[in-house]
Structure formats: C-alpha cells, structure tokens
Amino acid sequence: MYNSMKNIFAVVILMSLIACTTSKSTISNNVNLSNYEYASVINNDTYHIPAELMEYEIQLFDAVGNSNLQLVNDARIYELSRSDQEKLLLVKYGVNVQSEETIVTVNFIDYFTGRPVASCRGAYSSLGVGGAAHDVKEAIKRVAKQISDTFQKQ
C-alpha cells in the first residue's frame, strides 16, 4: 500500500512538472500575419545561440524557412523594394537552458515599425534524464511547430 501511494505521488509530481513545460504562440491582436512574406533572422552579438549550442542554429533557420515566409539574408534587406520591406519581419531568437526546462523563443518584429507581431515559444524538459542537448533539440522541434502553425503555408 505504501509503495503504491508513493508511486501515485511520484506520477502526480511528474505530471505537474511536465504540465508547466508548455509551448505556445502569442500574436498581436492588431496584425494580419498574412500581409508578411519575408523574414530575416537577426544574427548579431545580441541575438545569437551560445557557441556550444551552435549546431542547433540550422534547425532554427529551418523552422522559419518551413513557414510561408521567405528567408532574406539580413545583409540584403536593403536590396528589397520598399513594398517588399513592408512585408518583412525581423526574427530574433533566444535559448534558455536550465535544469528544470529548456525554452526556445522566436520573436517576429515588423521591419518598419519595430513592433513585435508574434512570439513563438517551444519548451521541453526531460527532467534531467535526456541531458541539455536533447532538451534543446526537442524545444526547437516544438518551437518549429509553433512557427509552422502561426505562419501556415497557404
């Protein structure tokens, strides 16, 4: 009896920890995302993946590229026409690895106004079992799904 109660308690604790690890997207109320056609991932000293996680940057670019947004190199933004620049989103991302969970956030910002229009969050936790590399990979998969759902191909 004691062991079964102990197991039930452990399952409840595990489920509550996993429930805290949620992936979601937040979209501005005043924005029509279908107006955007281009995205440029900002990759500078402020917005970058730590060197030890650099291998996952490919997955982040793929996640944006698999949406209905066409990727534009940030050095080539000025080559776009003004009307194309009006359809451009800047993409900033961050990775937060902690022992409890790993969170990957991808933010989409209107190029002209600087206004954030969407934020996609992927979170994952193996509760330390899978290791940080596994958790980052899974969090990126989840944020990729959020991006795909938010910017669905039509």
Side-chain angles (χ1 to χ4, degrees):
M1 177 72 174
Y2 176 74
N3 281 340
S4 63
M5 289 299 287
K6 186 176 172 183
N7 290 339
I8 291 172
F9 181 72
V11 168
V12 169
I13 293 293
L14 181 62
M15 289 176 66
S16 67
L17 288 173
I18 291 171
C20 294
T21 304
T22 57
S23 299
K24 65 178 182 173
S25 293
T26 303
I27 302 167
S28 174
N29 291 330
N30 302 323
V31 174
N32 182 354
L33 293 181
S34 65
N35 291 340
Y36 296 99
E37 296 179 18
Y38 304 98
S40 182
V41 178
I42 303 303
N43 193 7
N44 59 27
D45 291 337
T46 305
Y47 298 98
H48 69 283
I49 291 180
E52 64 272 12
L53 302 174
M54 191 62 72
E55 65 187 275
Y56 302 109
E57 189 169 37
I58 294 168
Q59 291 174 306
L60 281 172
F61 272 79
D62 286 349
V64 174
N66 289 333
S67 68
N68 75 344
L69 300 171
Q70 181 180 342
L71 282 173
V72 175
N73 184 306
D74 59 348
R76 304 196 78 166
I77 290 173
Y78 301 106
E79 295 175 15
L80 293 173
S81 68
R82 178 168 172 88
S83 65
D84 284 343
Q85 287 177 349
E86 290 173 355
K87 301 172 188 173
L88 175 67
L89 290 171
L90 299 178
V91 181
K92 298 179 181 180
Y93 56 86
V95 178
N96 185 1
V97 179
Q98 296 181 351
S99 58
E100 310 85 47
E101 72 179 344
T102 297
I103 299 171
V104 177
T105 306
V106 181
N107 298 310
F108 297 86
I109 300 159
D110 183 277
Y111 175 71
F112 269 115
T113 66
R115 176 188 175 152
V117 297
S119 180
C120 299
R121 176 185 190 263
Y124 185 82
S125 177
S126 65
L127 300 173
V129 175
H134 173 73
D135 288 2
V136 169
K137 186 175 184 178
E138 293 302 317
I140 289 174
K141 284 181 185 177
R142 290 186 177 188
V143 79
K145 176 159 180 18
Q146 293 299 316
I147 292 168
S148 177
D149 291 349
T150 302
F151 296 94
Q152 292 179 359
K153 289 189 178 186
Q154 300 175 3

